[in-house]
């Protein structure tokens, strides 16, 4: 029984959330941004070091999550599923959709190719329309690096994208309850990229 408790996704999420030094991560990002700003003011024109993972790094991380996900998802209780849906909904609420749209605007960009590659893992025929909207928005946010797939949120996002255990639907319902909407145009970008 102890081994089953250790593999429980909710327990893993709590363990990661409580053991990660979030203030240290935030300070490191702030220091990197401050250093880049100071270098730019001093005339340094070298490319900035990215704070967010590149689309290719995001895709590779998500591919690892899809490969490591069991074919039969573990059955979570209602509370666990609601908790995961809440985490994904919170991540979606924090996304700057204007930046995502800007990054996804070019059909030849790495972002759109990454979005298409992620979308290939979704069985769109089985995903309910409300969950498909969430899946498309998640794919776009992950491809642009606005929702990182590293850490405890990554596996949950992967399950929400593929709507395992109706997680995508639960996220959509969570967003509806808080009257939050996610953009709908990303599915069109994914389909347009696929047809080219």
């Amino acid at each position: 029984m102890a081994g089953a408790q250790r593999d429980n996704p909710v327990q893993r999420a709590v363990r990661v959330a409580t053991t990660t030094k979030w203030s240290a991560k935030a300070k490191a990002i702030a220091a990197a941004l401050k250093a880049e700003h100071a270098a730019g003011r001093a005339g340094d024109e070298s490319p900035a070091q990215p704070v967010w993972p590149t689309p290719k790094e995001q895709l590779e991380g998500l591919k690892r999550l899809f490969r490591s996900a069991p074919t039969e998802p573990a059955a979570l209780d209602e509370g666990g599923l609601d908790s995961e849906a809440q985490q994904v909904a919170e991540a979606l609420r924090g996304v700057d959709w204007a930046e995502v749209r800007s990054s996804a605007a070019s059909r030849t960009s790495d972002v759109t190719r990454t979005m298409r590659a992620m979308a290939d893992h979704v069985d769109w025929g089985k995903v309910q329309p409300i969950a498909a909207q969430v899946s498309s928005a998640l794919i776009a946010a992950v491809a642009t690096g606005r929702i990182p797939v590293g850490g405890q949120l990554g596996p949950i996002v992967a399950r929400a994208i593929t709507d395992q255990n109706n997680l995508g639907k639960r996220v959509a319902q969570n967003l509806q309850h808080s009257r939050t909407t996610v953009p709908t145009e990303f599915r069109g970008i994914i389909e347009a990229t696929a047809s080219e």
Side-chain angles (χ1 to χ4, degrees):
M1 184 72 174
Q5 286 288 340
R6 202 172 29 239
D7 289 340
N8 182 335
V10 175
Q11 294 295 330
R12 272 196 319 261
V14 169
R15 193 169 49 250
V16 169
T18 57
T19 59
T20 300
K21 295 184 169 107
W22 296 109
S23 61
K25 284 187 174 207
K27 286 178 184 176
I29 290 173
L33 291 173
K34 187 176 179 181
E36 290 291 335
H37 177 71
R41 290 188 69 175
D44 183 1
E45 295 189 20
S46 63
Q49 296 299 315
V51 175
W52 303 106
T54 66
K56 185 175 183 177
E57 292 168 340
Q58 287 286 84
L59 175 61
E60 292 305 315
L62 199 59
K63 281 182 179 178
R64 282 191 299 275
L65 291 173
F66 284 133
R67 282 193 297 265
S68 67
T71 54
E72 281 298 315
L76 293 177
D77 62 357
E78 291 295 313
L81 288 170
D82 288 340
S83 173
E84 288 187 349
Q86 176 67 27
Q87 290 178 53
V88 175
E90 282 300 317
L92 283 169
R93 285 185 196 101
V95 172
D96 182 347
W97 294 108
E99 288 183 16
V100 174
R101 283 184 192 97
S102 173
S103 297
S106 170
R107 289 187 180 168
T108 59
S109 73
D110 285 341
V111 171
T112 53
R113 284 191 293 275
T114 301
M115 287 171 59
R116 180 61 200 147
M118 286 184 210
D120 287 341
H121 293 279
V122 179
D123 185 353
W124 295 104
K126 290 183 179 178
V127 176
Q128 298 177 13
I130 192 168
Q133 181 180 347
V134 167
S135 294
S136 300
L138 279 170
I139 287 170
V142 168
T144 58
R146 298 303 175 253
I147 297 180
V149 293
Q152 59 98 13
L153 187 60
I156 299 170
V157 168
R159 287 194 301 277
I161 287 173
T162 58
D163 198 29
Q164 285 183 1
N165 291 333
N166 290 320
L167 185 56
K169 180 181 176 185
R170 286 175 182 268
V171 171
Q173 290 168 340
N174 187 302
L175 292 170
Q176 284 178 341
H177 290 309
S178 65
R179 295 198 169 122
T180 305
T181 59
V182 293
T184 59
E185 70 266 18
F186 299 118
R187 181 71 191 270
I189 293 170
I190 291 168
E191 290 172 352
T193 308
S195 63
E196 290 176 357

